Amino acid sequence: MSKPLERGSTLLTVRNGLVLSLAGATLLAGCVAEVRPAYPPPPPPPPAYSPPPPPAAAPAAEYDASAPAPEIQEQATQPPPPLPDYEQPPCPEVGFLWTPGYWAFSSAGYYWIPGTWVAPPVVGVLWTPPYWGFVGGVYAFHGGYWGPHIGFYGGVNYGFGYGGVGFVGGRWEGGAYRYNTAVTNVNTTVIHNTYVNNVTVNNVTVNKVSYNGGAGGVAAQPTPAERKAMTETHVPPTPAQVSHVHEAVRNPQLSVKANGGHPPIAATARPAAFTKDSIVPAKGAPPLKPIAPAAHSPAASPATHEPVNAAHPEATAPKAPVTATRPAPAAQPTRPVAPAARTAVPPRAPAAKVAAPKAPAPKAAPARKPPPSHKEGEKP
């Protein structure tokens, strides 16, 4: 009996072992299933994008939009010619300031803008002349302007107080402009607001270079005082100065191709006054020739259009005489005849009025009354 019991216990042991094995396998499988999620979780989603705060605003510039001195107006691939040698005409009027001449550029090449005396736009301002500067492989033109102080003009020595830095040709005092006769041409018998300051006259070799930078140009940089002046409020050229430039563009003799760098009109006493009694030629300049009204330089297209427009009034002028000759034909003498016919009509109207009295003639019953009254006279 013991053997069957042993077999039974063995079977139970084996069965229990299988059950335990299965249970262990199940537990292991469950453990494995639970371990799988234990892999490193995916990274959390990135936070919502928020743009960085804007940078602190830069301090506002202390200069006017038109102030940054010189605004590039023209460009050229060739440097401007040397400055011509000329005398300064005498100041024509108290309060006028000198503006030196310079080379300008157009599609026809360089042409000279004569120096001239001009009235400033307001009291207390000085003129910073224009200049050419070599920038980025080209020669750029920087326009002039009016301001309380002289700015940078390329270090170009224009003369007559503009030695390349600052200005020593005059100064404002108490609302009046005074002229330094050591460097400016002023008739002291007419203009009394003058002084002499020979210390400001430097015996420097004048090289006549008309541009800054580049090969052969003036090697100058703005001084601290000039940089400060560039941040001040500036005033553009006056209408008289603009007219002066237009007048120069119209004159083909001021082109460097025509005068070889020696303009026959190097300076004028007043803006746009290009008459013989107010101009100063450059040394070595060709004789000035009279200019026909239509002979304008092709340097500026507006200048070429103006003579054409000026010709139109001349073309229309003959039309006025034509209309004036229209009354001459006999057509208008016949009009007086028509009035004569009209005068014949008025008599007809009075004739009708005369007929009106005829109507009252029959009404002249009083004329009939006389006969009865006559008869009455007979009855007695």
Side-chain angles (χ1 to χ4, degrees):
M1 294 290 296
S2 59
K3 289 182 179 179
L5 291 175
E6 289 178 1
R7 289 179 181 174
S9 61
T10 302
L11 292 174
L12 290 174
T13 301
V14 171
R15 185 182 297 174
N16 291 338
L18 292 173
V19 170
L20 291 174
S21 299
L22 291 174
T26 303
L27 290 174
L28 289 174
C31 293
V32 171
E34 292 177 355
V35 169
R36 285 179 183 176
Y39 286 121
Y49 174 77
S50 58
E62 298 179 357
Y63 54 86
D64 193 335
S66 60
E71 179 185 1
I72 297 176
Q73 297 180 354
E74 298 289 348
Q75 293 184 352
T77 57
Q78 297 295 326
L83 296 172
D85 190 6
Y86 63 94
E87 299 293 332
Q88 185 185 52
C91 181
E93 191 172 337
V94 177
F96 274 38
L97 274 67
W98 176 251
T99 58
Y102 60 93
W103 290 106
F105 185 78
S106 73
S107 58
Y110 285 101
Y111 57 94
W112 180 252
I113 304 300
T116 189
W117 292 94
V118 64
V122 294
V123 173
V125 295
L126 298 171
W127 174 250
T128 296
Y131 73 97
W132 287 91
F134 186 77
V135 180
V138 297
Y139 295 90
F141 179 78
H142 302 264
Y145 55 88
W146 296 94
H149 300 93
I150 299 294
F152 181 66
Y153 51 93
V156 177
N157 187 347
Y158 289 105
F160 313 116
Y162 289 98
V165 178
F167 176 64
V168 295
R171 60 174 181 257
W172 289 94
E173 291 184 3
Y177 185 77
R178 298 187 63 193
Y179 303 85
N180 181 9
T181 57
V183 293
T184 56
N185 188 1
V186 177
N187 186 352
T188 56
T189 61
V190 179
I191 299 177
H192 306 290
N193 296 334
T194 62
Y195 66 96
V196 178
N197 187 355
N198 290 311
V199 178
T200 60
V201 181
N202 298 321
N203 294 324
V204 179
T205 301
V206 179
N207 52 26
K208 299 297 182 181
V209 176
S210 61
Y211 60 96
N212 174 276
V218 178
Q221 295 294 328
T223 65
E226 290 172 330
R227 291 184 184 278
K228 183 178 179 181
M230 292 169 64
T231 65
E232 297 174 338
T233 300
H234 299 157
V235 180
T238 65
Q241 291 176 286
V242 175
S243 176
H244 183 72
V245 173
H246 289 171
E247 227 18 70
V249 174
R250 294 174 181 173
N251 193 327
Q253 298 179 81
L254 296 182
S255 170
V256 70
K257 296 179 180 179
N259 56 49
H262 307 283
I265 305 177
T268 64
R270 294 177 181 271
F274 287 7
T275 57
K276 289 185 178 180
D277 57 346
S278 64
I279 65 172
V280 175
K283 294 181 179 179
L288 182 66
K289 301 177 182 178
I291 302 174
H296 292 327
S297 169
S301 55
T304 59
H305 292 313
E306 289 185 14
V308 177
N309 294 338
H312 288 298
E314 296 173 0
T316 55
K319 293 182 181 178
V322 170
T323 54
T325 55
R326 289 179 183 173
Q332 288 199 358
T334 56
R335 291 183 181 176
V337 176
R342 290 179 185 174
T343 53
V345 176
R348 292 178 183 175
K353 291 180 182 178
V354 173
K358 289 179 180 179
K363 291 180 183 178
R368 295 179 180 179
K369 288 180 181 179
S373 62
H374 183 65
K375 290 178 181 182
E376 290 177 357
E378 290 178 355
K379 285 182 182 180

